[in-house]
Amino acid sequence: MSAKEELVDAWLRAVAATAYVPRSATDVRTLVAGLADSLVGALSVEPFDPAVGEDVGAMMVTGALTGENTLTSSLGVLSDGLVAEGFPAGRVVRLLAAVSAGYASALRTRTLEQQEDLKRALLGAVQQAERGRRDTEHRFREVFTEAATGIAITDADRRLVEVNPALAEILGSPAGKLCGTALEDHLFGDDPISTTPTRREVRRPDGESAWVLVSTSIVRDEGRPDYAVTMVQDLSEVELLGTRLSHQSLHDALTGLPNRSYFTTRAETLLAQAAPTTSTTLACLDLDGFGLLNATHGHAAGDQLLRAVAARLTRLVEDEQALVARVDGDEFAVLLLDGPATPGIPELVALVRAELAEPYYDGDIGLAVTAGIGVVRRPAGELSAAELHRVASAALGVAKATGPDQWAVHDPQDDRRARRLGAAATALPAAHEIGELVVAYDRVIGLAERSAVRVRALVLDPAARPDLPEVLDLAELTGFSVALAPWLLTTAARQLPVWRAMFPGDGPVLRVRLSRAQTADADLAGSVRDALAAAAVPAHLLELLLDTPAVVDARGDARDNLRTLVDMGVTAGLHRFSGGPAQLELAERFGVRSIVLGDPFSGWRPDWLPADAVAVRATRTLLAELTSIGLEVGVLGVRDQEEATWWADNGATTGEGIAFGGPADVEDVLHGESAAK
């Protein structure tokens, strides 16, 4: 079942539970499906026009979807369903607000039409009374007395002659006291009461007030105004409905806290009202292991815990000028306008962690959570609410990357670096779509002979800044690396005949280094098989370097991929190899042919280190062990010929790095040129 069909079914259930619709089930489904299509269409097009929601709300009324709770239930289903389909929450809120407005407007119009019908009936009754008082007086009295709408009959001076029970209840006075008073004494407004429906305020004798909708019809006798009939509809329920809908659109239904949309709006107001130099603190919290709690104890227990967290955070800052919100599933935000008693950031974090650490008991189950916390403290006039939330979320990301129950303060320098990387990473899918990414080739040099023995294919963005990581490393940040793998393998494999001619012999001629996600991808073996079939060359000419930690940790299908590639005849290798018994045993057991070392010197040059340095001795031992079982050992990042000599003297077989040039296209490699020329 598609997401849209699930939304339609959920909406139909809400309608069936709250309203009687005098139509066939097929007609009702067709109506609801059409309304759902309109909402999805409005959210999917640019520019976004929430006015479509008003039409949908009006069609709900004309379609008789007007039970007492039908609108409330429908909005709940639609908000959950549309957000779940990936539409922005802000747009969903605006669109559903428009649905509410259209619904209320159509309901009001229908009421006015009913009132107009009633007024026509009353006027007809009065005229008929002149011709047959007895029959018409009875009918008029029935309508006048039993009508739920307030009815007032006034003379030419606008004084009340007769008032029905509904109007007496609306005005809060007995009918006997109302007669003889001026209608305007009870209905306040800037404009005179007219035949056009107007919204007026009623002030009752007990001091309470209410809003009503008032319209008047003039009864004429021989062309002269004789008396007037005024219809007064109590809007209290409509106002209450609007207030409830407004609250629901701005608050989280589970915890009662402001939602993300209201948090941003309210935070903007608080920051604007504060003095520019007033210190503000925003803490973003993301609960650790909340999915595990739901899976273990059920979602009801998770909901109870969220309510407890909301209550504790609110209580924690009740003496501060603060705003607490639930901005995502298990993510909360606490904004403080710092005062003299506001604690420092470490003390504030300690208080929050102490609150969360105290178990909440759901029956016999004691539940407690930890949270990642990101904090930013800035003057109120320095950042907008949206930017303040963004930088606090960035700090939260740093804390979550460190591990559970960690916190971090926003660091502008780290944030700039992370945003630069993030911008480059998130731009890759579009760059690939429009053909800006290319496959380039880096020479793999035999260190003994100092000549190329094969090439490594890599994805290159010619327009990228030189200080950014490789495209593959950037794509790994978003998971786009998995989508890049089939394209890279297929494109590079087309050149295998060229490299086979350039590097004669029985060894591999093309190397491709795979990321952690690519190594674990369940479709990797199929992509390799398709690429080799399209190139129509032997599998051993392709050398694939899998990510060592992914294979050691048995991440996804990493180990199955290694076995399958070896069985296919592909020259399988490992990169980011750091040694150790587990990795050595893995390389030997799985039939690995080549190893590319991770940097064992953390950026130091090995040829500048003392020969008896621990790292040097350990590296020599590792090289000896690897070569003793027939593995080809490669190194990355070779900076110059002196460093290449050191690696060659200590047993390394191949090298890559700026010492041997940079990535280039096929023609430049064939002519000995690099892209960095």
Side-chain angles (χ1 to χ4, degrees):
M1 182 182 292
S2 68
K4 185 196 128 182
E5 290 173 336
E6 291 179 355
L7 178 61
V8 171
D9 286 345
W11 197 353
L12 284 171
R13 288 193 294 271
V15 170
T18 58
Y20 167 71
V21 183
R23 296 185 176 193
S24 68
T26 301
D27 289 344
V28 175
R29 171 173 280 278
T30 300
L31 171 63
V32 170
L35 298 180
D37 283 339
S38 299
L39 295 175
V40 171
L43 291 168
S44 303
V45 300
E46 296 292 344
F48 169 61
D49 182 9
V52 173
E54 297 181 8
D55 297 335
V56 170
M59 292 175 67
M60 288 179 65
V61 174
T62 58
L65 308 183
T66 54
E68 181 178 356
N69 297 313
T70 301
L71 179 60
T72 301
S73 299
S74 297
L75 292 177
V77 168
L78 292 171
S79 63
D80 292 342
L82 295 174
V83 170
E85 286 194 50
F87 295 112
R91 284 193 175 189
V92 172
V93 167
R94 292 176 59 195
L95 185 62
L96 295 186
V99 171
S100 301
Y103 183 94
S105 177
L107 198 60
R108 185 182 300 111
T109 299
R110 189 177 72 175
T111 301
L112 291 175
E113 291 173 350
Q114 293 172 345
Q115 292 177 354
E116 190 62 33
D117 292 339
L118 181 58
K119 286 190 291 184
R120 284 196 294 268
L122 290 172
L123 293 174
V126 173
Q127 293 171 350
Q128 182 67 21
E130 296 295 326
R131 297 185 293 270
R133 289 183 180 277
R134 292 181 179 178
D135 292 339
T136 57
E137 179 70 17
H138 176 73
R139 289 195 295 269
F140 170 76
R141 284 298 159 195
E142 281 292 320
V143 173
F144 186 80
T145 303
E146 301 299 329
T149 299
I151 305 172
I153 299 177
T154 57
D155 59 20
D157 295 328
R158 301 293 293 162
R159 294 194 171 273
L160 293 168
V161 175
E162 198 164 1
V163 175
N164 74 340
L167 182 58
E169 182 178 354
I170 292 172
L171 298 181
S173 294
K177 288 186 177 181
L178 293 173
C179 291
T181 63
L183 181 60
E184 281 77 0
D185 292 342
H186 307 282
L187 303 177
F188 296 88
D190 295 333
D191 300 323
I193 297 175
S194 66
T195 56
T196 303
T198 56
R199 195 166 177 268
R200 310 297 286 257
E201 184 181 9
V202 171
R203 298 176 187 173
R204 300 187 176 107
D206 59 8
E208 294 185 1
S209 62
W211 288 95
V212 295
L213 191 67
V214 180
S215 59
T216 296
S217 296
I218 305 298
V219 179
R220 299 180 181 276
D221 184 15
E222 297 181 357
R224 295 173 300 176
D226 192 6
Y227 59 90
V229 177
T230 300
M231 314 292 289
V232 181
Q233 180 192 0
D234 190 348
L235 296 179
S236 299
E237 291 187 2
V238 176
E239 292 286 330
L240 182 61
L241 174 62
T243 301
R244 185 181 301 120
L245 292 175
S246 176
H247 184 275
Q248 290 176 349
S249 68
L250 297 174
H251 290 77
D252 170 46
L254 179 65
T255 64
L257 294 178
N259 59 20
R260 178 189 293 272
S261 176
Y262 184 44
F263 172 76
T264 302
T265 302
R266 181 61 182 149
E268 287 285 6
T269 301
L270 290 174
L271 294 177
Q273 292 174 347
T277 56
T278 299
S279 175
T280 62
T281 302
L282 176 59
C284 286
L285 298 83
D286 187 83
L287 304 185
D288 297 322
F290 187 71
L292 176 63
L293 185 148
N294 277 334
T296 304
H297 299 289
H299 288 276
D303 290 347
Q304 290 293 339
L305 184 64
L306 289 173
R307 293 189 188 99
V309 170
R312 291 180 180 184
L313 291 176
T314 302
R315 184 174 63 247
L316 182 66
V317 296
E318 62 185 356
D319 294 330
E320 301 273 356
Q321 189 175 357
L323 175 65
V324 181
R326 182 187 178 200
V327 295
D328 208 343
D330 58 350
E331 185 176 338
F332 295 82
V334 180
L335 175 65
L336 300 171
L337 295 185
D338 301 335
T342 303
I345 290 178
E347 292 77 15
L348 176 64
V349 170
L351 291 172
V352 171
R353 296 168 86 178
E355 285 287 342
L356 297 181
E358 182 179 348
Y360 166 80
Y361 285 91
D362 183 13
D364 296 332
I365 303 173
L367 302 175
V369 290
T370 58
I373 306 175
V375 187
V376 59
R377 177 164 283 175
R378 290 285 188 276
E382 185 173 305
L383 300 175
S384 67
E387 180 65 7
L388 195 68
H389 192 193
R390 186 198 68 77
V391 298
S393 296
L396 173 61
V398 173
K400 297 291 284 186
T402 305
D405 198 19
Q406 299 296 310
W407 64 281
V409 179
H410 172 251
D411 183 294
Q413 184 174 350
D414 288 344
D415 184 46
R416 285 192 294 270
R417 181 165 51 251
R419 293 192 75 183
R420 185 168 65 249
L421 290 177
T426 54
L428 289 178
H432 177 58
E433 179 71 21
I434 62 178
E436 290 183 352
L437 302 184
V438 299
V439 176
Y441 300 90
D442 210 353
R443 298 169 184 80
V444 179
I445 303 299
L447 295 178
E449 61 272 26
R450 300 296 169 88
S451 61
V453 295
R454 66 186 72 108
V455 294
R456 176 172 69 91
L458 67 155
V459 182
L460 190 67
D461 181 359
R465 292 173 44 158
D467 60 336
L468 289 173
E470 280 193 17
V471 168
L472 180 61
D473 297 324
L474 288 173
E476 191 76 354
L477 297 176
T478 63
F480 184 59
S481 56
V482 174
L484 276 180
W487 172 74
L488 171 61
L489 290 167
T490 301
T491 305
R494 293 195 192 106
Q495 304 302 327
L496 273 168
V498 175
W499 309 128
R500 188 179 192 183
M502 184 174 180
F503 306 113
D506 295 329
V509 296
L510 174 64
R511 168 182 287 178
V512 177
R513 193 162 72 229
L514 301 174
S515 70
R516 180 176 176 85
Q518 290 172 337
T519 298
D521 182 28
D523 296 326
L524 174 63
S527 298
V528 173
R529 189 178 290 110
D530 292 343
L532 290 173
V537 294
H540 75 273
L541 296 179
L542 175 62
E543 178 189 29
L544 287 181
L545 300 179
L546 281 71
D547 181 79
T548 302
V551 179
V552 171
D553 297 340
R555 180 181 177 88
D557 284 8
R559 292 200 175 189
D560 288 341
N561 285 337
L562 180 54
R563 292 189 187 95
T564 303
L565 293 174
V566 171
D567 292 342
M568 289 169 55
V570 172
T571 301
L574 297 171
H575 72 99
R576 291 213 298 157
F577 193 92
S578 59
Q583 293 191 7
L584 289 168
E585 187 273 338
L586 185 78
E588 185 175 23
R589 176 159 59 97
F590 280 85
V592 170
R593 298 279 301 279
S594 59
I595 295 293
V596 174
L597 297 179
D599 186 358
F601 301 104
S602 300
W604 286 84
R605 288 183 59 122
D607 53 322
W608 290 0
L609 294 173
D612 60 348
V614 174
V616 171
R617 288 189 282 112
T619 301
R620 285 175 175 161
T621 300
L622 177 60
L623 288 166
E625 293 292 340
L626 293 173
T627 55
S628 70
I629 57 176
L631 295 176
E632 177 187 280
V633 182
V635 292
L636 303 176
V638 180
R639 281 157 282 211
D640 54 32
Q641 295 301 321
E642 288 77 11
E643 188 175 0
T645 299
W646 188 93
W647 282 108
D649 292 344
N650 285 279
T653 308
T654 65
E656 299 178 49
I658 59 174
F660 314 117
D665 60 23
V666 176
E667 291 298 323
D668 287 341
V669 172
L670 292 175
H671 292 87
E673 299 175 356
S674 73
K677 58 190 175 182

